[in-house]
């Protein structure tokens, strides 16, 4: 049975979609080419949290970090998990303009694949019909694993203005994409892409910006930095804290150095968590965030990295006297770790 769902956007526009009882609201919206916010699609990140104004639904499964029982009681749902039991009206936390950036299919072929550290590949793809693939700096795309009916999410590590697109991919022993890249991938291989996806993207840079990256969480941060460097009117300070486990995990430092010249006011700090490291700054990024970096809560903070790091930073920021008012984050959840 199919139900009519009204998606009410922040700018007052309402769009109607049909959704089957065995289909999630996010999937139905996606089919209708309406790009409502979501990230993990696993009930793990909470990005798709929306308010149900009317109607009944099966809430699906999720973890507490994404939606608490109290929130569920007061009418919130996760569109990536919820299936309708009646017609519904749902408030979507984005504008209709953002929602119309519908995900599309693209084909990429491998231009280069380079192991830029013991644990990280840099993948560069030439995109067929490049002018039809639009994305915002910070967003990601789902990349198919050849010969498997599966895909993995990767954040673009370059500005949307670039012709070839690049990704930083951490080697995860035993992982599907990792094994493909290590053992089989060769120049010219074709990969299917679906996207762009995600609500982690650069907003208009009106306030000082603090970027926090963990491991290959540097990828979307590089895309953001490169886009900022193309903005001739940029006049806000930009700071980056980049944390890794071992010093040899640090990548793309030349690029980061070059942003010191191409951005009006940019600096960055690398932090290594291995206690035996000789690196100048040790520990976690939270050990090195000085209060002035957060201003009086008026610094725009962008955070990307593995789930544990993102959670630690979120707690740290929430505990500040003046937590940042504009705080955006992306967790690199793996399909396996996201299962609740
Ligand atoms: C929004 C988003 C953006 C992302 N962007 C990036 C990015 O830019 N760069 C990046 O490096 N990563 C990124 N990721 C993570 C990425 O999508 C993959 O999860 C990661 O690359 C691992 O993929 P894989 O196929 O190599 O490993 P997977 O096949 O997913 O395996 C992951 C781990 O689980 C183990 N495993 C597999 N199956 C099972 C099982 N059944 N039971 C127990 N263990 C199992 C594997 O051995 C491996 O250790 C992002 C994730 C999200 C959600
Ligand atoms: S997209 Fe729904 S919880 Fe992550």
């Amino acid at each position: 049975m199919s139900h009519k769902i009204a998606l009410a956007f922040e700018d007052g526009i309402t769009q109607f979609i049909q959704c089957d009882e065995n289909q999630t609201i996010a999937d139905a919206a996606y089919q209708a080419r309406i790009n409502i916010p979501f990230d993990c699609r696993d009930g793990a990140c909470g990005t798709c949290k929306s308010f149900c104004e009317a109607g009944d639904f099966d809430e699906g499964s999720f973890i507490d970090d994404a939606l608490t029982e109290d929130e569920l009681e007061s009418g919130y749902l996760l569109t990536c998990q919820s299936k309708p039991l009646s017609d519904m009206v749902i408030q979507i936390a984005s504008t209709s303009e953002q929602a119309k950036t519908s995900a599309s299919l693209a084909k990429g072929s491998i231009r280069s694949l380079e192991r830029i550290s013991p644990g990280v590949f840099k993948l560069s793809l030439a995109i067929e019909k490049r002018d039809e693939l639009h994305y915002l700096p910070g967003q990601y795309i789902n990349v198919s694993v050849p010969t498997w009916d599966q895909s993995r999410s990767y954040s673009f590590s370059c500005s949307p203005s670039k012709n070839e697109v690049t990704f930083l991919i951490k080697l995860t022993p035993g992982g599907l994409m990792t094994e493909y890249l290590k053992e089989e991938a060769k120049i010219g291989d074709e990969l299917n892409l679906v996207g762009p996806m995600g609500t982690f993207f650069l907003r208009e840079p009106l306030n000082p910006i603090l970027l926090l990256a963990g491991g290959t969480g540097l990828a979307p941060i590089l895309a953001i930095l490169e886009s900022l460097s193309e903005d001739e009117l940029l006049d806000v300070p930009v700071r980056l804290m980049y944390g890794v486990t071992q010093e040899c995990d640090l990548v793309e430092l030349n690029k980061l150095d070059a942003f010191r010249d191409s951005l009006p006011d940019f600096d960055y700090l690398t932090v290594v968590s291995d206690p035996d490291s000789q690196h100048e700054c040790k520990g976690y990024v939270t050990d090195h965030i000085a209060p002035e970096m957060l201003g009086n809560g008026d610094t725009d903070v962008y955070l990307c990295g593995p789930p544990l790091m993102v959670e630690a930073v979120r707690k740290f920021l929430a505990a500040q006297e003046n937590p940042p008012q504009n705080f955006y984050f992306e967790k690199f959840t793996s399909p396996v770790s996201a299962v609740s």
Side-chain angles (χ1 to χ4, degrees):
M1 191 173 173
S2 175
H3 299 290
K4 191 194 273 178
I5 315 283
L7 302 174
F9 292 94
E10 280 175 345
D11 51 355
I13 309 276
T14 302
Q15 304 240 11
F16 289 89
I17 56 169
Q18 283 299 129
C19 184
D20 292 338
E21 282 201 346
N22 60 2
Q23 189 179 29
T24 66
I25 294 158
D27 279 349
Y30 180 76
Q31 249 179 24
R33 296 197 155 261
I34 298 174
N35 195 16
I36 60 175
F38 61 77
D39 274 342
C40 71
R41 295 176 93 167
D42 264 315
C45 73
T47 301
C48 65
K49 194 185 301 174
S50 305
F51 187 70
C52 174
E53 285 190 337
D56 299 317
F57 57 95
D58 169 351
E59 71 268 26
S61 59
F62 48 85
I63 58 171
D64 223 42
D65 273 355
L67 186 76
T68 62
E69 281 304 317
D70 285 351
E71 288 173 317
L72 185 65
E73 288 280 339
S74 36
Y76 286 90
L77 53 72
L78 298 175
T79 59
C80 78
Q81 296 300 302
S82 302
K83 297 173 182 168
L85 298 172
S86 70
D87 289 357
M88 295 176 75
V89 180
I90 302 173
Q91 274 181 17
I92 301 295
S94 77
T95 65
S96 63
E97 201 187 340
Q98 286 161 351
K100 276 181 193 155
T101 347
S102 56
S104 52
L105 305 174
K107 269 196 192 309
S109 62
I110 299 183
R111 268 296 169 88
S112 65
L113 178 64
E114 201 188 334
R115 201 152 168 172
I116 55 172
S117 80
V120 177
F121 275 122
K122 181 172 180 176
L123 173 67
S124 179
L125 299 182
I127 305 292
E128 204 179 289
K129 301 189 188 152
R130 174 67 183 88
D131 53 337
E132 289 177 17
L133 175 67
H134 304 281
Y135 66 92
L136 299 166
Q139 284 191 304
Y140 68 94
I141 197 158
N142 289 333
V143 182
S144 64
V145 189
T147 70
W148 290 85
D149 186 21
Q150 292 209 32
S151 63
R152 296 289 182 262
S153 309
Y154 295 105
S155 307
F156 294 98
S157 67
C158 60
S159 136
S161 69
K162 298 294 167 201
N163 199 27
E164 276 180 25
V165 297
T166 54
F167 304 91
L168 299 181
I169 302 182
K170 182 182 168 205
L171 276 88
T172 309
L176 267 193
M177 183 61 94
T178 303
E179 291 306 311
Y180 162 72
L181 292 174
K182 258 171 59 185
E183 307 297 338
E184 294 169 51
K186 54 186 187 314
I187 306 299
D189 277 8
E190 284 212 335
L191 304 178
N192 293 321
L193 312 170
V194 179
M197 309 270 183
T199 49
F200 182 73
F201 54 79
L202 175 66
R203 278 31 181 212
E204 201 182 345
L206 301 174
N207 301 310
I209 295 175
L210 176 62
L211 306 167
L212 304 169
T216 47
L218 183 68
I221 300 292
L222 280 175
I224 286 175
L225 281 166
E226 199 159 50
S227 298
L228 287 169
S229 72
E230 293 164 357
D231 179 352
E232 286 172 8
L233 298 177
L234 184 79
D235 61 356
V236 297
V238 181
R239 296 290 176 269
L240 163 67
M241 314 271 291
Y242 170 26
V244 292
T245 310
Q246 312 266 0
E247 197 156 355
C248 63
D249 299 327
L250 291 167
V251 297
E252 300 283 45
L253 297 183
N254 289 347
K255 274 203 164 164
L256 295 180
D257 288 338
F259 288 128
R260 287 197 172 110
D261 295 328
S262 58
L263 286 162
D265 181 0
F266 171 70
D267 207 356
Y268 75 95
L269 188 73
T270 54
V271 184
V272 173
S273 63
D274 177 6
D276 297 330
S277 161
Q278 301 300 311
H279 197 71
E280 208 179 321
C281 273
K282 293 213 300 201
Y284 298 110
V285 292
T286 43
D287 300 329
H288 301 275
I289 300 177
E292 56 272 22
M293 286 179 170
L294 298 170
N296 284 323
D298 56 3
T299 297
D300 292 352
V301 179
Y302 294 84
L303 160 67
C304 185
L308 277 177
M309 180 237 183
V310 170
E311 279 315 306
V313 177
R314 280 179 64 181
K315 282 197 186 117
F316 171 86
L317 293 176
Q320 299 301 305
E321 203 176 328
N322 293 308
Q325 285 167 24
N326 298 319
F327 173 40
Y328 313 98
F329 65 90
E330 181 92 281
K331 277 186 209 169
F332 281 1
T333 341
S334 94
V336 178
S337 65
V339 174
S340 59

